[in-house]
């Protein structure tokens, strides 16, 4: 049996969790939270990173910090997780979904400008599979139109665009440390602030609307309720667990990249034969092997392959029913322009098992199953398959 994901436990987490317990400081913002924040700051170059209770909560904080008001519009891809949209919907925003590029499954930067209206307040980009959006173009549009750029970099810890860390390019970046991501603390995330201007308010929102962080630094002599806010600090236990992984981030990243490279190498001839499509990594992007996906020629073959792999003990999954066609998407947003790629390509996409420590022989087994499947298609159910496949 080859699972789709094995949540990472590197081995060093326990030692840190035990130390956190022994310190008798278990609530947020202790020794380990600070270490994790500093690690993110030094790796990404942002002015301030704050661990949060989830990637979802980091996005919610971002929406509060840029002061989203009812009726504001936020542009984003429809091919993403519900949290990307919810964060802004919770503040009363309308979501304007824009089509994706078929090569990276990221928002099509060339469609953004036309989707802007006088109500547009922000663009929320999603770096799908840890591969960067075209940030040069997007930042240029945002500057010209005076819009905020929020990076949903939930999948993109350790990824870069032209050498810059994802999450550090837009006004605010959001990481996830959910157990399905490359580095995890069970549930968790981080808010990344490039500039000073959001810092004080971010600390307040994260600390139940109080200036407690300032009080602890000795900057004020009492702490009080100063703004709206919530509780977005993770416990020290979770931060200690995460630290065990962040201190080994390079080894973990290399291991994932090796698995990704092997999948790519072994599946290349199928792509060359026109039987499936592999992910495209633009020249200026260094990715983090968050996922390995393939695209089958159509939805029926994708679903059949999932079933075939399941019979062989391999769990492969698809995801993202495009948000604009989901029940909540219909009421909270609208699709701008034509949906040429979002639905069509999401229906063809299949994610293969990917996790730290995935064995080479398991990758070979998965690839062999895929090969059996596509070659057997010729004769039986999909006599037309190969010819058709040449089209894309
Ligand atoms: C995982 C993920 C999130 C949410 O992160 P959580 O930590 O699970 O709340 C948001 N956006 C994207 C694109 C994600 O992949």
């Amino acid at each position: 049996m080859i699972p789709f994901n094995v949540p990472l436990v590197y081995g060093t987490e326990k030692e840190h969790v035990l130390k956190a317990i022994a310190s008798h400081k278990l609530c947020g913002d202790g020794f380990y939270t600070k270490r994790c924040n500093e690690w993110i700051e030094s790796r990404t170059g942002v002015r301030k990173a704050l661990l949060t209770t989830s990637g979802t909560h980091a996005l919610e904080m971002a929406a509060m910090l840029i002061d989203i008001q009812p009726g504001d519009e936020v542009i984003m891809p429809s091919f993403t997780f519900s949290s990307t949209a919810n964060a802004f919907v919770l503040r009363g925003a309308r979501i304007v979904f824009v089509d994706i590029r078929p090569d990276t499954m990221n928002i099509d930067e060339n469609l953004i400008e036309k989707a802007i209206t006088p109500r547009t307040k922000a663009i929320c980009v999603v770096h799908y599979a840890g591969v960067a959006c075209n940030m040069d173009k997007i930042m240029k549009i945002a500057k010209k139109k005076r819009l905020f750029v929020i990076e949903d970099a939930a999948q993109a810890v350790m990824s870069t665009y032209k050498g810059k860390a994802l999450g550090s390019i837009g006004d605010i970046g959001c990481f996830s440390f959910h157990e399905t991501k490359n580095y995890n603390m069970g549930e968790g995330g981080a808010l990344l602030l490039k500039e000073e201007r959001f810092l004080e308010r971010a600390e307040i929102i994260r600390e139940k609307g109080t200036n407690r962080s300032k009080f602890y630094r000795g900057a004020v002599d009492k702490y009080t309720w100063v703004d709206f806010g919530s509780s977005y600090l993770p416990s020290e236990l979770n931060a200690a667990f995460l630290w065990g992984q962040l201190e080994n981030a390079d080894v973990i990243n290399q291991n994932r990249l090796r698995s990704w490279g092997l999948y790519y190498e072994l599946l290349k001839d199928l792509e060359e034969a026109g039987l499936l499509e592999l992910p495209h990594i633009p020249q200026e992007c260094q990715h983090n092997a968050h996922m390995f996906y393939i695209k089958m020629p159509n939805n029926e073959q994708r679903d059949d392959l999932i079933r075939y792999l399941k019979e062989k003990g391999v769990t492969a999954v698809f995801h993202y029913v495009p948000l604009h066609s989901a029940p909540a998407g219909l009421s909270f947003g609208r699709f701008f322009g034509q949906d040429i790629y979002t639905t069509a390509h999401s229906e063809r996409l299949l994610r293969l098992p990917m996790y730290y420590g995935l064995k080479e022989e398991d990758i070979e087994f998965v690839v062999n199953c895929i090969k059996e499947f596509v070659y057997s298609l010729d004769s039986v159910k999909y006599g037309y398959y190969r010819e058709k496949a040449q089209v894309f």
Side-chain angles (χ1 to χ4, degrees):
M1 299 296 268
I2 305 175
F4 170 67
N5 178 47
V6 178
L8 173 59
V9 181
Y10 188 76
T12 41
E13 296 88 346
K14 198 165 158 185
E15 166 202 340
H16 295 303
V17 172
L18 290 174
K19 270 193 202 163
I21 293 169
S23 76
H24 295 282
K25 161 96 178 135
L26 301 182
C27 67
D29 274 345
F31 175 76
Y32 282 108
T33 306
K34 287 187 180 130
R35 275 199 133 168
C36 293
N37 291 346
E38 282 161 16
W39 183 92
I40 297 169
E41 288 155 15
S42 76
R43 287 304 184 108
T44 63
V46 294
R47 177 149 201 122
K48 188 69 201 163
L50 295 168
L51 278 195
T52 58
T53 31
S54 66
T56 301
H57 283 164
L59 286 160
E60 287 176 18
M61 286 183 70
M64 292 177 195
L65 287 168
I66 62 169
D67 214 20
I68 293 286
Q69 298 293 320
D72 287 347
E73 290 181 356
V74 179
I75 294 172
M76 67 178 64
S78 172
F79 184 68
T80 183
F81 191 54
S82 60
S83 295
T84 318
N86 270 330
F88 302 96
V89 167
L90 281 167
R91 315 300 319 152
R94 299 283 306 165
I95 308 299
V96 177
F97 297 110
V98 163
D99 209 6
I100 51 170
R101 295 164 39 150
D103 61 345
T104 57
M105 305 297 280
N106 282 333
I107 191 166
D108 185 340
E109 65 278 4
N110 294 313
L111 298 174
I112 293 173
E113 204 160 346
K114 281 183 234 126
I116 295 170
T117 74
R119 307 228 62 157
T120 308
K121 183 106 178 229
I123 304 164
C124 184
V125 300
V126 179
H127 303 300
Y128 183 68
V131 178
C133 299
N134 184 335
M135 292 309 289
D136 277 356
K137 176 100 198 236
I138 292 166
M139 293 309 290
K140 214 166 135 188
I141 295 167
K143 199 169 173 200
K144 189 167 105 185
K145 301 282 185 179
R146 295 172 172 275
L147 304 175
F148 290 107
V149 174
I150 309 300
E151 289 180 80
D152 181 341
Q155 303 178 4
V157 181
M158 295 282 279
S159 292
T160 61
Y161 171 78
K162 296 192 173 175
K164 283 186 227 160
L166 300 191
S168 76
I169 302 168
D171 296 282
I172 301 178
C174 302
F175 280 174
S176 169
F177 296 117
H178 185 263
E179 71 161 37
T180 52
K181 303 303 201 287
N182 292 23
Y183 310 94
N184 86 92
M185 51 201 280
E187 300 272 359
L191 184 79
L192 281 70
L193 301 172
K194 193 166 72 170
E195 292 160 27
E196 186 77 35
R197 63 177 162 157
F198 293 124
L199 178 50
E200 187 173 336
R201 187 136 180 265
E203 286 181 340
I204 289 166
I205 288 171
R206 184 165 162 268
E207 273 279 23
K208 301 97 185 165
T210 72
N211 57 354
R212 183 151 78 177
S213 299
K214 223 171 169 181
F215 173 71
Y216 280 144
R217 280 200 303 272
V220 287
D221 57 11
K222 63 177 189 319
Y223 85 84
T224 183
W225 184 28
V226 292
D227 198 347
F228 66 76
S230 190
S231 181
Y232 292 131
L233 290 85
S235 134
E236 269 291 283
L237 296 174
N238 298 59
F241 185 93
L242 178 64
W243 177 250
Q245 302 188 1
L246 295 185
E247 66 174 352
N248 294 294
D250 294 302
V251 180
I252 294 162
N253 196 40
Q254 283 311 313
N255 182 281
R256 294 186 75 110
L257 284 167
R258 209 176 315 125
S259 296
W260 197 99
L262 186 59
Y263 268 129
Y264 196 91
E265 206 48 48
L266 297 174
L267 287 166
K268 220 165 58 187
D269 54 338
L270 290 184
E271 181 173 55
E272 278 158 14
L275 294 164
L276 48 76
E277 275 180 75
L278 298 180
H280 169 71
I281 313 293
Q283 187 90 56
E284 61 272 22
C285 302
Q286 173 58 56
H287 71 106
N288 61 355
H290 172 61
M291 78 172 80
F292 195 95
Y293 66 82
I294 59 176
K295 282 190 241 167
M296 297 302 284
N298 60 44
N299 182 244
E300 191 188 5
Q301 286 160 33
R302 192 272 309 267
D303 290 349
D304 283 350
L305 176 55
I306 290 176
R307 274 191 290 274
Y308 185 79
L309 289 171
K310 195 172 173 201
E311 278 166 27
K312 300 278 177 176
V314 176
T315 310
V317 303
F318 66 88
H319 67 166
Y320 302 152
V321 172
L323 297 185
H324 73 280
S325 54
L330 292 170
S331 68
F332 296 127
R334 62 183 161 82
F335 199 91
F336 171 82
Q338 247 186 303
D339 171 12
I340 298 174
Y341 299 113
T342 300
T343 301
H345 281 244
S346 69
E347 287 181 343
R348 294 171 40 199
L349 185 136
L350 172 60
R351 303 172 64 187
L352 302 179
M354 172 58 83
Y355 45 86
Y356 171 83
L358 176 58
K359 291 194 195 78
E360 242 177 74
E361 65 252 41
D362 287 349
I363 293 173
E364 284 161 7
F365 180 77
V366 173
V367 169
N368 284 336
C369 292
I370 295 170
K371 289 189 172 174
E372 277 163 27
F373 177 81
V374 296
Y375 289 129
S376 73
L377 290 175
D378 273 352
S379 48
V380 209
K381 193 169 166 192
Y382 305 103
Y384 61 89
Y385 183 90
R386 276 187 174 227
E387 278 164 281
K388 276 248 163 118
Q390 305 299 338
V391 177
F392 68 89

